Amino acid sequence: MPILLEPRDFDEEIKGCKSVLIVSCPVCPAMSLALQTDTPVLEFFKHGIKTEAFEELIASIREEMEERGVKTDAFTSRLPTPLMCVWTEGQRDRLRKRAEGFDAAVVMGCSSAVHTAEHALSDTDCKVVTGMRMKGIANATMKIQPPLTVTIE
């Protein structure tokens, strides 16, 4: 995990938006949150291939927005590549289609992930907002514990 990320306050940037799509990269942000919360990156038999800490963050962001009357949805893509910084044109097209009708897309990922969303949504009215900031570079040790639980230290 080369990039350590943390959530940032983007409320001012989405002020006035009636609908927001949360677009997430499932790699660096998920690993960052697992590391920061000292929770597993993967508990396959409990959460599948999702990272609980990251999914909880996205759910809490959506809940806060919905309480203010903002319509939300979430989007990520795992295949053929989960890393948003190297999404294929097909993955970018899927994002473009999913973002139709949304005022803003909050990108939960690094600046390269934001660039991917900006590229994909450049011909739309959907505003791209940065949802995380780089805290630093990280070097971690991955540990696999039976049955299929992955942690990092």
Side-chain angles (χ1 to χ4, degrees), residues 103-138:
D103 297 327
V106 174
V107 179
M108 303 304 288
C110 68
S111 57
S112 185
V114 172
H115 180 77
T116 297
E118 288 171 341
H119 174 262
L121 302 175
S122 64
D123 294 335
T124 72
D125 292 330
C126 188
K127 176 182 180 180
V128 177
V129 176
T130 302
M132 300 189 90
R133 70 172 152 248
M134 186 172 159
K135 188 173 179 178
I137 303 296

Side-chain angles (χ1 to χ4, degrees), residues 9-132:
D9 182 7
F10 51 82
D11 282 343
E12 199 59 37
E13 294 164 86
I14 61 166
K15 199 173 204 173
C17 292
K18 296 186 183 338
S19 58
V20 175
L21 179 66
I22 308 297
V23 181
S24 64
C25 175
V27 182
C28 290
M31 288 186 180
S32 294
L33 284 170
L35 185 62
Q36 292 164 17
T37 59
D38 196 29
T39 57
V41 173
L42 177 73
E43 289 179 285
F44 185 76
F45 292 110
K46 191 173 181 183
H47 302 289
I49 59 172
K50 296 180 179 181
T51 302
E52 181 180 22
F54 190 43
E55 295 301 316
E56 287 176 354
L57 173 66
I58 292 169
S60 71
I61 290 169
R62 291 185 66 190
E63 184 178 322
E64 287 175 24
M65 286 185 202
E66 289 171 0
E67 286 174 357
R68 296 188 312 241
V70 177
K71 175 187 141 196
T72 70
D73 201 354
F75 177 83
T76 194
S77 184
R78 289 184 168 79
L79 295 173
T81 173
L83 295 163
M84 196 169 167
C85 55
V86 292
W87 273 1
T88 65
E89 281 301 319
Q91 288 172 296
R92 293 167 194 238
D93 288 343
R94 286 192 294 278
L95 170 59
R96 188 177 303 108
K97 287 177 184 154
R98 186 68 173 275
E100 286 178 7
F102 283 90
D103 297 327
V106 174
V107 179
M108 303 304 288
C110 68
S111 57
S112 185
V114 172
H115 180 77
T116 297
E118 288 171 341
H119 174 262
L121 302 175
S122 64
D123 294 335
T124 72
D125 292 330
C126 188
K127 176 182 180 180
V128 177
V129 176
T130 302
M132 300 189 90

